[in-house]
Amino acid sequence: MVSVPSRFFMRTHPLVIGNWKLYIETPKEATLLVKSLRKRSRSFSGVEAWVATPATLLPAVVGALKGSALRVGVQTISSFDTGAHTGEVSALSARASGAHFSIIGHSERRARGESNEDVRAQLVQAASAGLVPVLCVGETERSQDGAHFSVVAEQIRSALSGTQSLTGKLIVAYEPVWAIGKGASDAMKASDVREMAIFIKKTLAESLERPAALKVPILYGGSVEPENAASLYSEGGVAGFLVGHASAKAETFISILVGIRQNSR
Ligand code: PEP
């Protein structure tokens, strides 16, 4: 494997984003969860914790987190800024409702038909509304011939084509689809996460200025649980994680955050 200086991956604080998906449904559940995180935030001080809520729960979560360092965002945004698009939530509307970031191109959205072109349009919308885009990339399966690298490179190149000036705050989440929604023993091996993180940095450097590319935090997502978070963090060469099912319960999410704090580089 290529040897890379540790500053290659440097980020001031590790970042862990919880993606609640549809696991949390009511303002009451959402408020209870973030209040627990807030109450226990000293136990993971130095680790940034963000939560991606369903758009309808933004007001409750924003209210419960007022004055805290925890940040809230949404799980997707529209590719359009305005117009006849029933059911869509625009980037501006999410931002005006208190969102700090948006997940973009999650594999569960891509599986419902979102194309690379939709992802690119959402990235532009996020950046122009002032939302930090968390761009998800990842292969659906791994093959011996290394085709997964081409899949990820193509997702990055097409998402960033023509958007160089908009990517100052970009975050990339590498989420191999085959590793999502399972248990810790099914997550990717730390050495493979590290290899892909290096590859993603190199690919970003083709689309962005090299210094900007080196600054983009790369997160890993796919069956991160309290059991594997610390080792994946210390050996995986990533800036943090995008966590799905384990973020929907305060106890498991806090365990992940505490584990990372104890293993911070
Ligand atoms: C995800 O879907 O973003 C994810 C990482 O899910 P899980 O942690 O449940 O694998």
Side-chain angles (χ1 to χ4, degrees):
M1 191 194 300
V2 198
S3 117
V4 176
S6 58
R7 68 179 164 72
F8 192 79
F9 295 110
M10 216 154 67
R11 189 175 194 280
T12 332
H13 298 293
L15 169 65
V16 183
I17 304 178
N19 174 11
W20 289 357
K21 308 191 182 191
L22 266 189
Y23 296 127
I24 307 286
E25 293 175 274
T26 64
K28 190 174 171 194
E29 278 178 284
T31 307
L32 276 174
L33 202 163
V34 291
K35 282 190 172 163
S36 301
L37 295 180
R38 191 172 180 169
K39 205 163 148 198
R40 303 268 299 279
S41 56
R42 276 204 181 169
S43 64
F44 54 86
S45 64
V47 179
E48 272 187 64
W50 297 5
V51 290
T53 75
T56 48
L57 300 180
L58 269 177
V61 175
V62 168
L65 290 181
K66 210 166 183 182
S68 103
L70 284 92
R71 306 256 201 190
V72 59
V74 284
Q75 300 170 13
T76 186
I77 46 167
S78 179
S79 309
F80 304 98
D81 54 356
T82 185
H85 304 290
T86 303
E88 302 266 299
V89 173
S90 74
L92 194 66
S93 158
R95 181 79 185 114
S97 305
H100 172 68
F101 70 95
S102 176
I103 297 176
I104 289 177
H106 190 282
S107 58
E108 287 155 13
R109 304 292 314 167
R110 293 182 192 258
R112 295 187 69 81
E114 276 184 10
S115 65
N116 280 342
E117 178 50 36
D118 295 323
V119 170
R120 197 193 72 81
Q122 289 168 19
L123 201 65
V124 172
Q125 291 298 328
S128 57
L131 289 174
V132 177
V134 180
L135 171 66
C136 294
V137 296
E139 75 280 3
T140 47
E141 58 187 12
R142 286 228 141 187
S143 54
Q144 294 295 338
D145 63 2
H148 42 278
F149 288 108
S150 321
V151 170
V152 169
E154 176 51 24
Q155 288 173 336
I156 293 172
R157 286 184 197 122
S158 64
L160 296 186
S161 68
T163 60
Q164 286 89 335
S165 60
L166 300 173
T167 51
K169 288 181 169 172
L170 179 68
I171 293 173
V172 173
Y174 169 55
E175 299 210 303
V177 181
W178 51 268
I180 288 182
K182 299 181 176 162
S185 58
D186 303 299
M188 198 176 201
K189 282 199 315 225
S191 54
D192 290 339
V193 171
R194 193 173 183 88
E195 183 183 41
M196 187 56 95
I198 292 168
F199 177 77
I200 289 174
K201 289 274 182 186
K202 284 187 176 159
T203 307
L204 286 171
E206 293 167 14
S207 301
L208 310 174
E209 298 286 329
R210 199 177 142 75
L214 293 183
K215 280 191 200 137
V216 174
I218 312 294
L219 310 181
Y220 166 76
S223 299
V224 176
E225 294 187 336
E227 293 76 11
N228 59 356
S231 60
L232 274 173
Y233 181 71
S234 55
E235 296 159 31
V238 284
F241 300 118
L242 180 53
V243 179
H245 64 274
S247 71
K249 288 207 170 73
E251 280 315 309
T252 45
F253 196 48
I254 291 168
S255 298
I256 290 172
L257 294 161
V258 171
I260 293 172
R261 183 197 181 194
Q262 289 164 350
N263 284 271
S264 276
R265 293 183 284 269

